[in-house]
Amino acid sequence: MPTSRETILAALHARLSALPATVLRGEVLPERVPAAGLLILRDGEPGEPEVTLSPLNYHYQHRAEIEAVVQGTGREAAFDTLTASIGTALAADRTLGGLCDWVEAEAPRPVDLAVEGAASLKAAVIPVVLHYSTADPLA
């Protein structure tokens, strides 16, 4: 049976997979970026939980990361559209079907990356904070 953490990350991946961009989880950046853009979900860090004792519960603010990448001409508009679509997808269900207490993305910090012999990339890491509780940090 998957852990709460894995169930939540899988639900986040499924939510992002509904977007027109190619969505990967934990993969390396491929040689080619699809025309609609590329999203790579990184599991991130659950951080130090707050603990309540009666009943015992661990309250996490897990910071996952989404790497958003676009390439080619018009990448400014494509990047803007891609990041806005992530925000819309998350806002549509802030609890990921009741798995989380709250899901919230932080603002991206975009960078332009030159690629030798190809069109440059526009990319950013978008932190996503997943608020959830579990009775066991390993379950």
Side-chain angles (χ1 to χ4, degrees):
M1 179 173 184
T3 63
S4 297
R5 177 183 60 255
E6 177 58 28
T7 303
I8 291 166
L9 289 168
L12 177 58
H13 182 259
R15 165 108 11 225
L16 295 172
S17 293
L19 300 175
T22 299
V23 181
L24 305 173
R25 181 170 173 205
E27 298 289 331
V28 297
L29 183 66
E31 289 183 23
R32 295 178 189 226
V33 175
L38 175 68
L39 301 174
I40 303 174
L41 175 62
R42 304 283 179 204
D43 290 357
E45 177 67 35
E48 193 68 32
E50 289 187 29
V51 180
T52 55
L53 297 175
S54 185
L56 180 62
N57 251 332
Y58 297 86
H59 309 281
Y60 287 96
Q61 291 184 25
H62 186 129
R63 293 179 63 86
E65 295 180 336
I66 301 169
E67 294 176 10
V69 183
V70 295
Q71 187 174 23
T73 60
R75 67 183 188 279
E76 301 295 333
F79 183 81
D80 188 56
T81 300
L82 182 59
T83 55
S85 70
I86 293 168
T88 302
L90 295 179
D93 182 5
R94 294 275 185 196
T95 66
L96 295 176
L99 297 172
C100 284
D101 296 325
W102 193 253
V103 176
E104 187 169 358
E106 296 178 1
R109 293 189 181 136
V111 295
D112 291 309
L113 304 169
V115 178
E116 189 174 326
S120 62
L121 301 172
K122 185 166 190 85
V125 173
I126 302 169
V128 177
V129 182
L130 306 161
H131 298 265
Y132 61 92
S133 299
T134 182
D136 183 346
L138 297 177

